Structure formats: structure tokens, C-alpha cells
Amino acid sequence: QVQLVESGGGSVQSGGSLRISCEVSGYTYCLGWFRQAPGKEREGVAAISNGGSIYYADFVRGRFTVSRDNAKNILYLQMSSLKPEDTAMYYCVAGTANRCSTDERRFTYWGQGTQVTVSS
């Protein structure tokens, strides 16, 4: 059984930076981040396999960096140059099949989410 616990969300001004984390228990192959803003569909943000392959959504490429510390079982999302449209609940996600991408079908397990709010 995989468990995911996010932390590090908060409020930041436009152009600022924030790092969110996810403590992971259990075996995972693919870890990622999704987000959902009020009234909008959930969207994949970034994903990383346990071999280090990384995938980003186009709208965060160059601004967000996903990483994982396999020794500590922690997933990170470093967010820079934040925009008001990045405001959303961010969810840590995990999958155990040997495929990884930002496709929601790769993920079986979801955390409770951490709120990120970017003000203009």
C-alpha cells in the first residue's frame, strides 16, 4: 500500500518561488504532481520515474523542477516564476506500473493535496 503526504504549500506573490514536498511510503515506479484549480479540470504537472526519467507539462517547463530523493522517499516540486494561474490544489501521485508520464492513467495513488496560492 502506497501512502502520500504532501507539505509545503502556501501563498506567494507573482514571480516568487515555492517548494512542495511529498513523503512517500511503499514501492512506486512513477511519482508525479497534478493540480486542480477551482472550476477547472485536473491536469498533470510533472512526473519522474525511479530511474530518473522526467516529464513536464508544457505550461510549467522551464519554471518547475521535479525531483525525488529515493533514499529519503521524498518527492519535490520546486516552482519558480510563479503566476496567478498556477494557483491550485497540488496533488502528489504515484504509480507502480513500469510506465511514467503526466498521463493520469499512470497513477493509482493520490495524496490529500496542498494548496498553492499565487497573488498578483
Side-chain angles (χ1 to χ4, degrees), residues 81-98:
S81 301
L82 283 161
K83 307 174 183 179
E85 51 264 44
D86 293 317
T87 295
M89 185 71 78
Y90 283 71
Y91 297 93
C92 177
V93 294
T96 57
N98 289 347

Side-chain angles (χ1 to χ4, degrees), residues 8 10-20 35 45 59-60 62-64 77-88 90 116-120:
S11 297
V12 64
Q13 289 192 329
S14 181
S17 299
L18 197 64
R19 188 178 77 166
I20 56 178
R35 71 185 187 185
V45 175
F59 55 80
V60 300
R63 299 189 300 123
F64 291 9
L77 185 68
Q78 177 68 49
M79 302 178 287
S80 302
S81 301
L82 283 161
K83 307 174 183 179
E85 51 264 44
D86 293 317
T87 295
Y90 283 71
V116 172
T117 302
V118 184
S119 58
S120 58

Side-chain angles (χ1 to χ4, degrees), residues 1 12 15 20 36 39-40 43-44 51 53 56 58-59 61 63-64 66 73 80-82 92 97 99 111 118:
Q1 184 74 13
V12 64
I20 56 178
Q36 187 166 24
K40 296 189 176 180
E43 54 187 3
S53 296
Y56 290 109
D58 288 342
F59 55 80
R61 195 181 307 274
R63 299 189 300 123
F64 291 9
V66 64
N73 292 324
S80 302
S81 301
L82 283 161
C92 177
R99 298 184 71 179
V118 184

Side-chain angles (χ1 to χ4, degrees), residues 99-113:
R99 298 184 71 179
C100 196
S101 74
T102 55
D103 187 329
E104 190 168 331
R105 292 170 294 180
R106 302 287 174 257
F107 303 102
T108 306
Y109 302 96
W110 292 70
Q112 294 299 306

